[in-house]
Amino acid sequence: FNPQFTGTIDSFLFTIYPSMGIYTPTGYNENFMYIQQSAQTLPNGIGMGGQIDYFGLWISAEFGRGHSKARPKCSTYGSPCLSSSEEFKIDLIEVWGVGTPYLPDEADENGLSSILDKDNTAKVLLELAGKARHSEGLREPEEIDD
């Protein structure tokens, strides 16, 4: 990954507590989502909105700490600070999938494919979480029919 922002105008931030709020892009910039790993001069983790070191929502690569430095508002989404204090400790992360359900292809159904083969982001998230990929290199190479 390069340390660039990615995403589209379909991105948003939201809060549920103490009240429901949905924050859509303001049009000020296109800093929708930032993801970085193993950098020495850039922050490592996942950021949504704002700019480097001043994200609307930031989750560090260790998944133990984060921040919401949107004072007075996040430039990308117009959201306020999403936590009771700018810096916070993460107790629990809940991940939601929204969109078209995944439909396995024939290789998936036969156990010949992995999501890690198709989605580099999944590999990065495992690395950020410090999870080893135990099956790396264990599958037989695909045979090519002549």
Side-chain angles (χ1 to χ4, degrees), residues 43-101:
N44 292 306
I46 300 171
M48 282 71 77
Q51 59 187 356
I52 292 178
D53 292 330
Y54 295 93
F55 294 100
L57 181 63
W58 170 256
I59 301 171
S60 71
E62 292 81 35
F63 289 113
R65 304 207 67 71
H67 76 240
S68 180
K69 294 185 179 177
R71 300 264 187 217
K73 291 189 174 190
C74 172
S75 57
T76 307
Y77 297 108
S79 61
C81 181
L82 299 175
S83 57
S84 58
S85 61
E86 284 188 355
E87 304 279 338
F88 55 86
K89 180 181 174 281
I90 297 171
D91 294 324
L92 175 74
I93 293 180
E94 183 174 335
V95 179
W96 296 5
V98 179
T100 307

Side-chain angles (χ1 to χ4, degrees), residues 9-143:
I9 60 169
D10 296 326
S11 304
F12 61 93
L13 284 177
F14 71 96
T15 182
I16 297 174
Y17 182 84
S19 63
M20 181 68 181
I22 299 174
Y23 306 99
T24 57
T26 61
Y28 180 77
N29 61 38
E30 295 183 349
N31 298 351
F32 305 118
M33 166 87 57
Y34 167 93
I35 186 167
Q36 180 63 34
Q37 65 164 8
S38 305
Q40 294 183 13
T41 59
L42 293 167
N44 292 306
I46 300 171
M48 282 71 77
Q51 59 187 356
I52 292 178
D53 292 330
Y54 295 93
F55 294 100
L57 181 63
W58 170 256
I59 301 171
S60 71
E62 292 81 35
F63 289 113
R65 304 207 67 71
H67 76 240
S68 180
K69 294 185 179 177
R71 300 264 187 217
K73 291 189 174 190
C74 172
S75 57
T76 307
Y77 297 108
S79 61
C81 181
L82 299 175
S83 57
S84 58
S85 61
E86 284 188 355
E87 304 279 338
F88 55 86
K89 180 181 174 281
I90 297 171
D91 294 324
L92 175 74
I93 293 180
E94 183 174 335
V95 179
W96 296 5
V98 179
T100 307
Y102 173 73
L103 299 174
D105 59 21
E106 187 176 324
D108 293 332
E109 290 173 4
N110 294 327
L112 302 175
S113 182
S114 165
I115 189 65
L116 299 178
D117 296 331
K118 299 175 184 175
D119 185 358
N120 196 37
T121 304
K123 290 179 188 178
V124 171
L125 289 173
L126 281 175
E127 288 179 28
L128 284 172
K131 301 297 181 187
R133 292 175 32 210
H134 299 287
S135 63
E136 186 70 24
L138 294 178
R139 288 180 282 156
E140 295 293 325
E142 244 181 77
E143 292 183 19

